[in-house]
């Protein structure tokens, strides 16, 4: 069971971000549940999924699993700037959420990125791509794995 951040202590409503599932748009098999595949908007607190049910039952293991490559969602505003949606799919690790997300009864705690790593890659340093360790341009990818540009000019 995933949870999102509780905004009730703030006076403002969280801003909803319209999103689309880039795997679904391109006919690539998704690793997400049908409920997650059909998400059309998120607020900032929903961009990660926290799997912490074992904390509630005092059965949590001391292991925290990070699942940064599981995101398939892309803000619609960014999707409109993508040069070729098929080029965008190359670089996704489709199925990662299916393989690594804790299931009911698991004792591991997990944090799973819901946004595509091509939007913001959480396990990259800003200058890492310039060091021959991948393609793109740092935390924000500018090219896919075949060095095709991800975004329209401008």
């Amino acid at each position: 069971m995933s949870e999102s951040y509780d905004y009730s202590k703030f006076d403002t409503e969280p801003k909803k971000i319209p999103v689309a599932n880039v795997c679904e748009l391109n006919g690539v098999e998704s690793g997400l549940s049908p409920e997650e595949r059909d998400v059309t908007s998120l607020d900032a607190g929903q961009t990660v999924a926290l799997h912490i049910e074992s904390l509630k039952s005092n059965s949590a293991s001391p292991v925290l699993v990070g699942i940064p490559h599981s995101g398939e969602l892309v803000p619609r505003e960014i999707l409109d700037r993508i040069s070729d949606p098929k080029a965008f799919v190359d670089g996704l690790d489709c199925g990662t959420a299916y393989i690594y997300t804790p299931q009911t009864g698991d004792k591991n705690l997990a944090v799973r990125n819901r946004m595509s790593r091509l939007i913001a890659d959480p396990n990259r340093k800003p200058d890492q791509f310039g060091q021959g360790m991948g393609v793109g341009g740092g935390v924000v990818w500018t090219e896919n794995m075949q060095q095709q540009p991800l975004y329209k000019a401008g």
Side-chain angles (χ1 to χ4, degrees):
M1 176 68 64
S2 67
E3 297 188 12
S4 62
Y5 189 78
D6 178 15
Y7 283 94
S8 63
K9 59 187 164 196
F10 298 105
D11 293 333
T12 61
E13 281 290 314
K15 177 184 173 191
K16 288 290 188 181
I17 304 164
V19 295
N21 184 305
V22 73
C23 290
E24 291 282 305
L25 291 174
N26 286 288
V28 175
E29 186 173 345
S30 172
L32 302 177
S33 69
E35 299 81 33
E36 259 196 283
R37 276 195 304 264
D38 295 338
V39 167
T40 59
S41 67
L42 297 173
D43 63 44
Q46 296 172 316
T47 59
V48 296
L50 304 174
H51 299 275
I52 60 173
E53 71 178 31
S54 60
L55 282 178
K56 297 174 183 175
S57 63
N58 289 328
S59 64
S61 78
V63 175
L64 173 65
V65 178
I67 314 167
H69 290 208
S70 63
E72 297 178 9
L73 301 177
V74 176
R76 287 227 174 247
E77 182 177 357
I78 292 175
L79 190 61
D80 292 342
R81 303 244 331 118
I82 293 172
S83 58
D84 178 6
K86 292 204 183 300
F88 197 80
V89 171
D90 181 42
L92 293 178
D93 292 332
C94 296
T96 303
Y98 177 76
I99 294 169
Y100 291 106
T101 299
Q103 303 299 309
T104 302
D106 286 354
K107 296 182 186 220
N108 289 336
L109 304 170
V111 177
R112 185 170 55 79
N113 193 26
R114 294 180 74 194
M115 289 290 187
S116 167
R117 73 185 182 124
L118 298 180
I119 300 300
D121 197 333
N123 59 341
R124 299 283 187 250
K125 297 178 205 173
D127 63 349
Q128 187 169 359
F129 287 110
Q131 299 171 2
M133 302 170 76
V135 297
V139 174
V140 177
W141 290 52
T142 57
E143 306 176 325
N144 68 7
M145 299 294 280
Q146 273 64 48
Q147 289 79 41
Q148 297 171 315
L150 290 176
Y151 298 99
K152 297 173 187 172

